[in-house]
Amino acid sequence: MISNTRRSLMLAAGGLSALALSACATTPPAIYAASDFAAIRKIDAHVHVNVADDAFVDQARADNFEVLSINVDYPAFPSLADQAEVAHHYAEVEPERFHYATTFSMQGFGQAGWAERTNAHIDAEVRRGAVAVKVWKNVGMVERDAAGDLIFIDDAGFDPVFDHLAATDIPLIAHQAEPYNCWLPLDQMTTRNDRLYFSAHPEYHMYLHPEMPSYQDLMARRDAMVARHPDLPFVGAHMASLEWSVDEAAKFLDAHPNAVIETAARMAQIQYQSVRDYRKVRDFFIRYQDRILYGTDLTLNPGEDPTAFRQAAHDYWTSDWAYLATADTQHVEDIGAEVKGLALPRSVIDKIYYANARREFFSRP
């Protein structure tokens, strides 16, 4: 390494020496390029591998990814038992490439023994290789108790399970609420992907259901639960449903030291903000570089064309890499705009794409 004093002396003597030129040539640039994508180890911390087809793992290998496949109690997915079977298979045959998060059924919630059965199920899955537990938006938006009232994430009935996770240092991945766009009419939503999703899933479009809880109420209940369990490792899926405002995401992270967030299926909302205030979004990622995990929500379900899936996954991953890691500009159809990459420093990219997920999921006792 050439000191500033020595460099100044060389410049004063009439230019850079061969030694200085060599040092400049070998010093890595401050940011990655698009061409660095395949060479860098990466973890996609939010995918769904719902079928025993090698397409997902093969593409992950080709693009130098490990994946965290998250089982979820979603009626459009295979049964929980079928999801678990696929997860067990790949956790056994691809342990260095494939990891999974288990989940639990809400059936019997509120009845005697539910928490004990749920904890036993979680423990069994952890012994099979599960590194986290997922709770979905059905809590707060779908599931109801015996009286017909919605069950929320801060219900005391969850406390024995969340306390058990905290005691065993198993992260809880929580998808609570929906994107803020969900509470807006279609023509006011900020991204095309949200308009398409809620057009196809009106049952989840809360603007059409004023009888349902507000976005603010769901967030408040989630925050109350996280505050009540300060020792619980908490992962806010989908930018903790604060994708519409990096300011709000920052407030959440500041208030809850036990929490991290991940980017799955919310990159367009982040890009929408960076087009309007590039510096603020870039500064957010740098300031919270230890608290953000990369994720996509890529899903391989039974019946899908594996070849088409592999190409779509590659395109998705390389587009996100261009946005986060490089200064390249790309057209993003979901917001109808040219979007400049955040050009995050290499050290930040290494954390968001790998080190943070490794710490949260794979480096616990």
Side-chain angles (χ1 to χ4, degrees):
M1 178 126 184
I2 302 172
S3 70
N4 288 336
T5 301
R6 187 179 173 196
R7 190 180 299 277
S8 297
L9 289 172
M10 287 189 294
L11 288 170
L16 287 173
S17 68
L19 175 63
L21 289 170
S22 175
C24 291
T26 58
T27 299
I31 64 172
Y32 287 117
S35 58
D36 293 316
F37 168 75
I40 304 304
R41 294 184 71 180
K42 302 174 290 293
I43 297 174
D44 187 333
H46 189 140
V47 306
H48 302 284
V49 183
N50 291 335
V51 59
D53 185 301
D54 293 346
F56 210 133
V57 173
D58 288 346
Q59 192 58 47
R61 183 180 297 105
D63 286 334
N64 206 2
F65 268 101
E66 297 172 43
V67 297
L68 175 61
S69 184
I70 300 177
N71 293 353
V72 61
D73 193 8
Y74 177 26
F77 279 4
S79 70
L80 293 183
D82 287 347
Q83 291 180 57
E85 183 177 353
V86 172
H88 297 160
H89 167 71
Y90 283 111
E92 181 177 345
V93 301
E94 293 279 358
E96 301 301 317
R97 184 77 52 187
F98 178 94
H99 318 281
Y100 81 99
T102 188
T103 190
F104 53 82
S105 171
M106 287 293 292
Q107 189 171 18
F109 180 84
Q111 299 175 11
W114 178 84
E116 291 77 11
R117 292 191 300 273
T118 298
N119 285 341
H121 165 74
I122 290 169
D123 290 345
E125 287 297 300
V126 169
R127 288 192 295 271
R128 296 291 297 265
V131 298
V133 175
K134 171 69 177 284
V135 62
W136 194 53
K137 65 188 179 185
N138 57 331
V139 175
M141 300 181 74
V142 177
E143 299 289 344
R144 296 180 182 270
D145 61 20
D149 297 323
L150 284 167
I151 301 167
F152 294 98
I153 195 67
D154 62 343
D155 190 297
F158 289 110
D159 284 349
V161 174
F162 297 161
D163 289 342
H164 181 66
L165 294 178
T168 53
D169 212 24
I170 300 298
L172 178 71
I173 303 170
H175 175 176
Q176 289 295 285
E178 283 283 58
Y180 186 73
N181 279 335
C182 178
W183 280 264
L184 300 175
L186 290 172
D187 61 0
Q188 293 182 27
M189 292 183 182
T190 55
T191 64
R192 182 183 71 115
N193 59 325
D194 280 343
R195 288 190 292 273
L196 291 174
Y197 179 82
F198 292 114
S199 294
H201 298 278
E203 68 273 23
Y204 297 130
H205 186 188
M206 291 300 101
Y207 176 77
L208 302 177
H209 301 281
E211 75 282 1
M212 293 291 285
S214 69
Y215 170 83
Q216 291 77 11
D217 187 31
L218 291 169
M219 292 293 92
R221 288 176 177 273
R222 188 272 313 279
D223 292 353
M225 183 278 289
V226 178
R228 199 164 75 234
H229 298 275
D231 296 325
L232 173 66
F234 182 86
V235 182
H238 309 294
M239 292 292 288
S241 293
L242 298 167
E243 74 298 318
W244 60 280
S245 171
V246 294
D247 291 333
E248 292 300 313
K251 291 177 185 177
F252 173 76
L253 291 171
D254 289 344
H256 305 290
N258 57 319
V260 299
I261 60 177
E262 45 96 323
T263 63
R266 300 296 183 265
M267 203 64 77
Q269 291 91 337
I270 298 168
Q271 292 166 331
Y272 180 87
Q273 294 175 76
S274 71
V275 167
R276 287 150 182 80
D277 196 333
Y278 180 88
R279 175 168 291 184
K280 180 166 72 171
V281 173
R282 187 173 188 272
D283 287 349
F284 169 81
F285 275 87
I286 293 174
R287 179 180 176 186
Y288 295 98
Q289 60 186 270
D290 297 304
R291 312 282 298 279
I292 303 169
L293 283 58
Y294 176 71
T296 60
D297 214 12
L298 286 168
T299 302
L300 181 61
N301 275 322
E304 293 191 38
D305 178 352
T307 301
F309 171 81
R310 288 193 61 173
Q311 185 62 55
H314 176 74
D315 292 347
Y316 201 116
W317 280 332
T318 53
S319 175
D320 285 353
W321 177 265
Y323 175 63
L324 293 171
T326 83
D328 298 347
T329 296
Q330 60 182 311
H331 181 77
V332 176
E333 189 64 34
D334 278 333
I335 61 173
E338 301 300 312
V339 178
K340 179 183 176 182
L342 295 180
L344 297 173
R346 286 179 173 225
S347 59
V348 175
I349 288 296
D350 291 345
K351 291 178 180 180
I352 291 172
Y353 267 93
Y354 189 79
N356 293 344
R358 175 60 56 181
R359 180 197 68 229
E360 288 297 313
F361 299 117
F362 314 125
S363 299
R364 297 184 178 277

